[in-house]
Amino acid sequence: MKKQLTAALCLHLCLLPGYVLAAEDETAPSDVVDVVLIGGGTMSVTLGTWLNELEPDWNIQLFERMDGIAQESSDGWNNAGTGHSAFCEMNYTPQDDDGSVDIARAINVTEQFEISRQFWAHQVERGVLQDPSSFISNVPHMSVVWGQENIDFLTERYARMSENPLYAGMQYTDDEATIAEWMPLVMAGREEGTPMAATRMDLGTELNWGVLTRQLAEHLATQPNVTLTTSTEVRGLERNEDDTWRVTVANVESGETSVVNSRYVFNGAGGAALLLLQQSGIPEAKQYAGFPVGGSFLYTTNPEVVSRHTAKVYGLAAEGSPPMSVPHLDLRYLDGKPTLFFGPFATFSTKFLKEGSWTDLFSSMTFSNVWPMMQVALGNFNLVRYLVSEVLQDRDDRIDSLREYYPEANPDDWEMWSAGQRVQIIKKTDDGGKLQFGTEVVVSEDGTMSTLLGASPGASTAPPIMLNLLKRVFPEQVESAEWQAKLKEIIPSLDMKLAENPELLRELRLNTSRVLELEGQEAFVRTHLPDANSSSTQEAESEAL
């Protein structure tokens, strides 16, 4: 109890404006720290957790411009909260011209999410994360479509995915009564005879990224070689003659500046990461530009409504829309209260952060990226049309969109919420500018400067994204016996494909379900991923022989 109170007090202190946390017995800091982390969101805090466990003697400093941790995109109110595991997100499974469905990206996302589950379970076991129910919950993931063409797509998607152990237990139905049982709000009041189909995966999760990130930060704040500083903005990145980095920071309230020299810098500043990447001057920065897309949601806390929808239900995105715009009706747990979100509705702003500057987009324009940006604008008319139509919508239009998924929605139950900003990547290629969705890690040739750009699946795959970053930035350490032993302790499936190892997949899903206290998931796994050594399996094999 004393240790928990101490950790809580440390986090409280480190979130005070401009406060720098340092252990009482910490020796005077050296001229050069080991790692500077920019941004107090899920990515930076996850990387800090990795590094602190692997190298507890390294000096790590984290700077966050807001007055607290995880207040931008990582905050629970500023994202969808979906544990993006590709169970219900149909944009991860594109359909080819011949009607076949490609599930390669879905498999990759699911494999990554399994690494995330292992990482979080490990942190729970060592006491870094407290009370799993505070940040992760068992919420079924469902996909729903209507119209014969879309039903054909979902049927093919299910057929392909159900062949893979990663999706064992996924259900499919085109029966109205079954769909009504799965998602009552979606079917209540809907015109009878509408052709529909749906899939369901009971292994889905809902996450509060803000709570998870703040708990990781709370632990980091207690470590003797880690310093967390809030209300402090990184305003300059410059390479020193000895190849270390000169990081200029400023207190956002007083304007007072200071300098930290660091061997490595990770730029995880969310939407602002592109601007800082450009400041670093590394050649790799010239390949990138950014396109900001905001989002808003309708939400309700009316218990009579919320109690009738216990799932995350995803539909199909509008033509030309970015993946983050996929419509979904979600059960959320925010501020200790069950809430329903519907959206997102795209908004447009030249800001790169929710609390950013109107000049962000213009500040990011350079001689090397203006033309790629123009090429993307000219070559993505559907996207431009979609954004214009979204921006022109009023509240009545958004309620009409909600009623496509919840026909009996009462407008009086729903309020609007402006969520976080995202910056989609525009990358300069030999074929011109290309708009890229997803996340991308940019690393300097010597590995000392790294930056995370992009959006979804984002926080859901932060542990594997940061694990891959470790492999690129610290290749010798990753191959060392010491790091290998620790990495395999944290991620038992390290460097393995669980889709090709169903027995290990079963074992890990059982363990993470138990540790993360995901009620019902253990039984689900035991039912749909049977033990290869069980007597029933052996008997079946004997009969077959």
Side-chain angles (χ1 to χ4, degrees):
M1 177 64 72
K2 182 177 179 182
K3 183 177 180 181
Q4 292 174 338
L5 289 173
T6 302
L9 176 61
C10 288
L11 178 63
H12 174 72
L13 290 175
C14 82
L15 297 184
L16 293 177
Y19 183 86
V20 178
L21 177 72
E24 291 182 0
D25 61 348
E26 184 179 8
T27 58
S30 60
D31 291 337
V32 180
V33 302
D34 293 297
V35 181
V36 162
L37 305 173
I38 305 175
T42 303
M43 290 293 177
S44 292
V45 173
T46 297
L47 178 58
T49 302
W50 272 115
L51 290 172
N52 181 248
E53 187 168 359
L54 290 164
E55 293 288 348
D57 293 332
W58 282 9
N59 189 305
I60 300 171
Q61 296 198 17
L62 182 149
F63 298 102
E64 166 56 44
R65 65 190 290 269
M66 303 291 287
D67 62 2
I69 296 297
Q71 291 192 11
E72 275 278 352
S73 295
S74 298
D75 184 76
W77 283 91
N78 290 339
N79 55 66
T82 303
H84 284 291
S85 47
F87 295 153
C88 60
E89 306 94 317
M90 291 178 280
N91 56 296
Y92 294 150
T93 52
Q95 189 170 28
D96 296 330
D97 293 337
D98 62 1
S100 62
V101 174
D102 184 358
I103 66 169
R105 189 182 179 206
I107 291 172
N108 183 53
V109 171
T110 308
E111 293 272 9
Q112 290 184 80
F113 191 72
E114 293 296 329
I115 291 175
S116 294
R117 285 177 60 125
Q118 293 172 64
F119 179 84
W120 299 325
H122 174 78
Q123 303 309 327
V124 170
E125 288 181 316
R126 73 186 191 109
V128 173
L129 291 173
Q130 307 290 328
D131 183 15
S133 65
S134 66
F135 63 85
I136 189 168
S137 306
N138 182 34
V139 176
H141 285 191
M142 304 184 194
S143 305
V144 64
V145 297
W146 41 84
Q148 193 56 52
E149 183 177 347
N150 293 334
I151 291 173
D152 291 343
F153 159 73
L154 188 63
T155 303
E156 175 66 14
R157 179 182 189 268
Y158 168 74
R160 291 293 314 282
M161 297 181 81
S162 61
E163 296 170 350
N164 192 299
L166 292 172
Y167 311 107
M170 179 179 283
Q171 298 172 266
Y172 170 91
T173 186
D174 56 11
D175 177 67
E176 284 188 33
T178 304
I179 298 175
E181 182 182 341
W182 290 358
M183 48 187 88
L185 290 189
V186 174
M187 298 303 289
R190 188 172 297 278
E191 183 178 350
E192 293 185 10
T194 302
M196 297 183 68
T199 57
R200 175 188 179 113
M201 189 68 167
D202 285 335
L203 209 64
T205 50
E206 139 74 9
L207 283 114
N208 188 317
W209 303 113
V211 172
L212 186 149
T213 303
R214 285 186 278 271
Q215 287 190 19
L216 291 176
E218 178 178 338
H219 172 76
L220 286 174
T222 67
Q223 302 306 293
N225 295 312
V226 179
T227 303
L228 305 182
T229 311
T230 58
S231 295
T232 302
E233 184 176 50
V234 174
R235 294 185 177 173
L237 292 171
E238 184 179 356
R239 193 187 289 273
N240 294 317
E241 291 184 0
D242 62 355
D243 287 334
T244 61
W245 288 92
R246 176 184 175 90
V247 184
T248 302
V249 299
N251 184 292
V252 296
E253 295 182 354
S254 68
E256 182 180 354
T257 63
S258 59
V259 170
V260 176
N261 295 304
S262 181
R263 294 194 299 128
Y264 296 91
V265 174
F266 171 70
N267 172 14
L274 175 61
L275 297 171
L276 289 170
L277 173 64
Q278 292 171 335
Q279 280 193 29
S280 72
I282 63 174
E284 292 82 359
K286 295 180 179 180
Q287 300 179 66
Y288 296 95
F291 183 76
V293 178
S296 60
F297 287 89
L298 285 166
Y299 76 95
T300 180
T301 56
N302 183 338
E304 294 182 5
V305 176
V306 177
S307 63
R308 296 171 60 200
H309 189 82
T310 56
K312 289 182 175 290
V313 175
Y314 272 56
L316 284 167
E319 182 182 1
S321 62
M324 62 171 284
S325 68
V326 173
H328 41 91
L329 183 62
D330 288 357
L331 174 64
R332 304 290 315 278
Y333 293 101
L334 300 170
D335 302 331
K337 182 182 296 185
T339 306
L340 286 192
F341 264 42
F342 177 77
F345 302 99
T347 61
F348 180 76
S349 167
T350 55
K351 293 181 179 182
F352 278 3
L353 291 166
K354 188 174 180 179
E355 300 296 331
S357 168
W358 294 101
T359 64
D360 287 343
L361 175 60
F362 309 108
S363 299
S364 73
M365 294 180 179
T366 67
F367 287 114
S368 62
N369 70 19
V370 168
W371 177 237
M373 291 175 73
M374 293 177 63
Q375 288 177 306
V376 166
L378 293 172
N380 288 269
F381 177 74
N382 286 339
L383 174 61
V384 174
R385 182 178 59 185
Y386 164 79
L387 289 174
V388 171
S389 67
E390 287 281 294
V391 171
L392 293 177
Q393 283 190 349
D394 58 20
R395 177 177 170 80
D396 289 341
D397 294 325
R398 289 166 178 165
I399 292 295
D400 288 341
S401 296
L402 168 62
R403 283 177 173 154
E404 292 182 21
Y405 286 82
Y406 174 21
E408 296 181 341
N410 181 351
D412 294 338
D413 290 334
W414 297 82
E415 298 181 54
M416 286 297 302
W417 176 260
S418 178
Q421 284 284 106
R422 306 291 189 269
V423 178
Q424 303 289 353
I425 303 167
I426 296 176
K427 188 173 183 179
K428 185 178 181 180
T429 68
D430 293 338
D431 298 325
K434 180 181 179 182
L435 183 64
Q436 294 191 177
F437 300 114
T439 52
E440 181 157 345
V441 177
V442 183
V443 180
S444 63
E445 186 176 1
D446 64 358
T448 59
M449 172 66 63
S450 55
T451 297
L452 184 88
L453 300 176
S456 183
S460 296
T461 53
I465 289 174
M466 293 299 97
L467 175 58
N468 288 332
L469 175 69
L470 293 176
K471 293 177 180 180
R472 294 177 64 182
V473 175
F474 306 107
E476 294 182 5
Q477 290 93 330
V478 167
E479 292 301 319
S480 69
E482 294 79 10
W483 273 40
Q484 278 292 304
K486 178 58 70 172
L487 289 172
K488 289 179 180 177
E489 176 187 338
I490 301 170
I491 310 295
S493 69
L494 185 70
D495 297 329
M496 299 177 69
K497 297 296 183 183
L498 290 175
E500 300 170 4
N501 294 273
E503 292 183 28
L504 179 59
L505 172 64
R506 179 184 190 274
E507 177 186 339
L508 293 176
R509 280 185 170 173
L510 285 174
N511 182 64
T512 57
S513 296
R514 175 184 57 80
V515 175
L516 297 175
E517 300 176 7
L518 295 170
E519 185 179 352
Q521 290 203 3
E522 281 189 80
F524 178 90
V525 174
R526 292 185 190 280
T527 299
H528 298 288
L529 281 171
D531 186 352
N533 297 318
S534 67
S535 57
S536 60
T537 302
Q538 292 174 349
E539 290 173 3
E541 291 176 349
S542 297
E543 291 179 5
L545 292 173

